[in-house]
Amino acid sequence: MPADKPILLGIDLGTTNTCVAYVRNKVARVVPSDKGSLILPSVVAMSDKGDLLVGNVAKDQMVVNPRNTIYGAKRLIGRQYNSKVVQDIKHYFSYEIVEGPNGEAAVVLAGKVYSLPQISAFVLQHCKRVAEATLGQEITEAIISVPAYYNDNQRNAVKEAGLLAGFNVKRIVNEPTAAALAYGLNRGFDHKVLVYDLGGGTFDVSVLQLHGNVMEVLATGGDTFLGGVDFDNRIIDYVLEEFRTQTKIDLTQSPIAMQRIKNGAEAAKIDLSLLSNVVIELPYVSERKGKPVDLRIPISRERINALVMDLVDKSFQIVERVLGEKNLNRGDIQEVLLVGGQTRMPLVQGKAHQFFGKPPRKGVHPDESVALGAALLAESMQEIDSVTLVDALSMPIGFAMPGGRFRKVIEKNIQIPSKSSFRLPPARDGRGLELDIFQGDSDRIIDNEYLGTLKFPAEVAGQRVNFILDEECLLHVTIESASGDTRELTLATKDTPEALKVAWQEEAERRRIDAERQALTPEEQSRGLFASIRKVFGGQ
Ligand code: AMP
């Protein structure tokens, strides 16, 4: 079916599933596939025969080949291996997570190390092939969505995955923004909407003001570690405990049993969105004295609600905080959009109704709206009269100060594109300066994500540094001389926050010893430590 115009894809690269949409004759549709819609499990595996498997085939063999089946890449992509989050979650995965050449988290598949952009690229490449075969033309351009709460490293890593898959990534768009676009485009709305997006691995919330086709993000927040898998983990723990009580058998040491329980827990959770009671049944999950032991555990909707209540409450605390950041009340929100598979759970829908005092919007497809919105954005970028998206930064960006404090350069919720500047201190002793750049909500850099280090030679002392956020929310840093010449700087990434912390302690120690040698007073010593940064940035 040849088309006159090139087709652009909108891709929702999800933790659990990836959904692909396109626009034809101004109507956005999910790309059809032999299984209905192109919603592909975001799973990559290597079979025993050495074949690379992607999507359903990869997911289907997960139980028998857990070590060589990579799922949940979205939780790891763009993160440092030594970051707290990766260290905290790596034990939950049945495959091996290792440190890549630049300190990033990477995975092992059939004995070979792959970067996470490579893994996601396999998924994207598969989507590209299916879309090309179905729509009958080569497709080279795409818009890929990311959680609004992704930091700069994660956004860059997804963009890299798109490039590796052979796409010209026209733009990275925030998932809630894409969902709002799918809801509001060409509808002439003039009101505030709140997008509550609870997917497989991440939770995002955004408040947008719609004025016709101008969509402005007012506030955004979320948690990259709150999603359907956390709900599943609660059920898994319950099942393991019940089984242990019944049989005194501990299944945690058996990867195959654990994988079967994981699948059974998720299936039970999904069934309980429709039914009030189900039974998780796994025949021959273990054996005793050579005889098979079956697992049979009934679970009710009430029980699962109790198991996950605090997770749902946590999500609404985040909603409350996001509203509070812009002094908004619940009543200011005219429409609540539920996005992401986990919002199918009646408990989530009920809580949303209770919280806002009105039912959330039905008719927005929770699994497809992000991909549809991304496709609509892609289409509109080809037109002159396009939609205007004004997005916002989800987490502050700044640099490390002495004692591990975080000094913000760009504030949260600033509208993008944006530019924030500061001036470097004058050179001291002809030495250069290094600034370690972080992104996150905490006042302590140790809790934030390390983005990289900026190295300034002594010659640029006193010059202006610009932090520029482009419309994809990607950070560019330039240095501007007195005559206005600008030069882009790259962030060197190697050290982890932990390594940096040690480095600062060493630096402090070195200066203390130096100071002692020069017999300075304690005040003079403390002033000496990063005094230049304090002077310029007014730190205490
Ligand atoms: P997404 O990342 O948006 O594809 O969401 C996937 C998550 O939604 C997974 O954790 C699924 O288990 C969960 N999910 C999908 N359908 C349902 C359902 N009917 N009820 C509860 N959770 C669901």
Side-chain angles (χ1 to χ4, degrees):
M1 205 201 308
D4 0 322
K5 258 196 341 182
I7 291 177
L8 290 83
L9 297 181
I11 306 179
D12 172 8
L13 182 61
T15 309
T16 342
N17 294 308
T18 294
C19 181
V20 186
Y22 71 108
V23 174
R24 190 171 272 167
N25 301 329
K26 303 226 173 275
V27 180
R29 298 186 179 89
V30 172
V31 174
S33 79
D34 49 356
K35 292 213 166 59
S37 305
L38 183 45
I39 298 180
L40 186 85
S42 311
V43 184
V44 173
M46 194 69 82
S47 77
D48 292 343
K49 294 189 198 114
D51 295 326
L52 185 80
L53 309 173
V54 180
N56 287 302
V57 277
K59 191 177 177 187
D60 289 347
Q61 57 85 71
M62 196 187 277
V63 172
V64 289
N65 191 12
R67 294 233 10 114
N68 291 316
T69 309
I70 315 288
Y71 56 88
K74 191 170 179 174
R75 292 190 133 192
L76 298 168
I77 195 167
R79 292 207 179 263
Q80 294 282 300
Y81 175 75
N82 279 327
S83 64
K84 186 169 180 306
V85 279
V86 172
Q87 291 305 313
D88 283 353
I89 59 159
K90 71 175 191 199
H91 308 289
Y92 278 106
F93 294 90
S94 47
Y95 51 86
E96 197 182 349
I97 300 170
V98 294
E99 184 168 0
N102 295 312
E104 75 283 14
V107 296
V108 179
L109 195 53
K112 199 176 152 207
V113 175
Y114 288 85
S115 73
L116 285 144
Q118 275 175 318
I119 296 293
S120 294
F122 291 136
V123 174
L124 293 171
Q125 209 168 37
H126 188 89
C127 294
K128 184 172 184 286
R129 281 200 211 110
V130 176
E132 286 175 343
T134 319
L135 303 175
Q137 61 170 275
E138 196 192 352
I139 302 171
T140 53
E141 307 215 306
I143 288 193
I144 306 176
S145 63
V146 294
Y149 218 57
Y150 255 17
N151 65 37
D152 196 64
N153 287 344
Q154 293 167 301
R155 285 165 195 272
N156 277 308
V158 169
K159 204 160 185 185
E160 187 189 336
L163 293 175
L164 289 174
F167 283 117
N168 168 19
V169 182
K170 288 205 62 136
R171 189 157 167 180
I172 295 288
V173 65
N174 286 338
E175 288 162 9
T177 314
L181 202 113
Y183 154 77
L185 188 70
N186 296 332
R187 288 203 154 123
F189 291 138
D190 192 356
H191 59 214
K192 289 187 182 62
V193 298
L194 183 138
V195 183
Y196 175 106
D197 181 354
L198 189 61
T202 53
F203 173 62
D204 256 333
V205 51
S206 290
V207 182
L208 292 101
Q209 173 72 53
L210 309 188
H211 310 280
N213 282 351
V214 178
M215 307 192 180
E216 185 187 338
V217 178
L218 300 179
T220 176
D223 186 338
T224 35
F225 281 88
L226 179 60
V229 277
D230 301 297
F231 288 53
D232 300 348
N233 286 339
R234 293 293 172 82
I235 305 170
I236 293 170
D237 289 345
Y238 173 76
V239 169
L240 288 171
E241 196 49 45
E242 287 288 296
F243 188 73
R244 203 178 293 131
T245 312
Q246 285 173 11
T247 65
K248 307 268 179 310
I249 298 175
D250 174 15
L251 292 175
T252 55
Q253 300 311 311
S254 160
I256 292 189
M258 285 298 286
Q259 190 58 51
R260 289 179 67 196
I261 294 174
K262 189 170 176 300
N263 292 351
E266 186 183 7
K269 176 189 77 174
I270 291 174
D271 288 345
L272 285 170
S273 289
L274 283 177
L275 310 170
S276 13
N277 289 285
V278 296
V279 180
I280 301 179
E281 288 197 277
L282 302 173
Y284 206 164
V285 74
S286 182
E287 54 178 34
R288 179 186 281 135
K289 296 183 188 147
K291 291 221 177 80
V293 180
D294 301 337
L295 179 149
R296 188 175 192 285
I297 293 175
I299 184 163
S300 66
R301 187 185 283 179
E302 264 178 5
R303 166 75 61 190
I304 175 186
N305 285 355
L307 291 173
V308 303
M309 192 65 85
D310 64 310
L311 299 175
V312 178
D313 285 345
K314 186 175 173 195
S315 74
F316 282 96
Q317 281 158 16
I318 296 172
V319 170
E320 188 87 71
R321 201 167 67 219
V322 169
L323 290 172
E325 277 165 6
K326 284 280 161 179
N327 293 323
L328 292 168
N329 297 314
R330 301 171 187 195
D332 296 328
I333 304 298
Q334 275 89 12
E335 201 74 80
V336 180
L337 310 183
L338 297 185
V339 179
Q342 194 56 55
T343 62
R344 289 223 166 86
M345 187 181 197
L347 176 70
V348 175
Q349 298 182 356
K351 279 268 171 181
H353 190 157
Q354 195 189 346
F355 186 91
F356 289 100
K358 57 174 149 264
R361 173 97 186 175
K362 298 269 184 220
V364 189
H365 198 299
D367 295 331
E368 298 180 355
S369 62
V370 171
L372 294 171
L376 287 166
L377 178 62
E379 168 81 2
S380 92
M381 282 172 78
Q382 291 180 304
E383 292 171 6
I384 304 154
D385 184 21
S386 70
V387 56
T388 307
L389 278 190
V390 185
D391 222 316
L393 178 68
S394 63
M395 279 179 290
I397 298 180
F399 56 82
M401 293 286 285
R405 284 174 300 129
F406 179 54
R407 171 54 62 92
K408 294 173 198 164
V409 175
I410 317 181
E411 293 286 341
K412 181 185 165 122
N413 286 334
I414 196 168
Q415 290 193 334
I416 51 172
S418 85
K419 178 170 154 184
S420 306
S421 308
F422 59 88
R423 203 170 275 286
L424 287 172
R428 290 192 321 131
D429 319 328
R431 282 195 292 166
L433 177 73
E434 288 191 4
L435 284 185
D436 300 308
I437 310 302
F438 287 80
Q439 182 166 21
D441 290 313
S442 170
D443 291 338
R444 318 284 315 163
I445 53 118
I446 200 82
D447 301 322
N448 294 337
E449 194 76 11
Y450 169 64
L451 299 183
T453 299
L454 290 171
K455 298 187 180 183
F456 300 102
E459 312 85 88
V460 302
Q463 292 189 4
R464 181 184 292 280
V465 179
N466 301 311
F467 275 27
I468 298 161
L469 282 177
D470 66 17
E471 55 197 2
E472 295 175 290
C473 214
L474 295 174
L475 176 68
H476 304 270
V477 182
T478 63
I479 182 131
E480 195 175 321
S481 71
S483 60
D485 292 338
T486 56
R487 183 160 59 87
E488 185 149 358
L489 299 175
T490 33
L491 271 78
T493 48
K494 165 172 65 70
D495 297 317
T496 62
E498 287 73 15
L500 288 170
K501 198 174 160 204
V502 172
W504 284 313
Q505 280 159 356
E506 283 170 359
E507 169 78 359
E509 185 60 14
R510 193 180 60 73
R511 284 177 184 269
R512 192 184 61 74
I513 294 166
D514 277 0
E516 269 174 16
R517 262 198 225 116
Q518 292 164 23
L520 295 177
T521 63
E523 293 78 36
E524 284 168 325
Q525 287 173 29
S526 74
R527 250 188 288 132
L529 183 65
F530 288 86
S532 56
I533 294 181
R534 291 174 190 200
K535 194 158 80 196
V536 171
F537 304 118
Q540 331 59 34

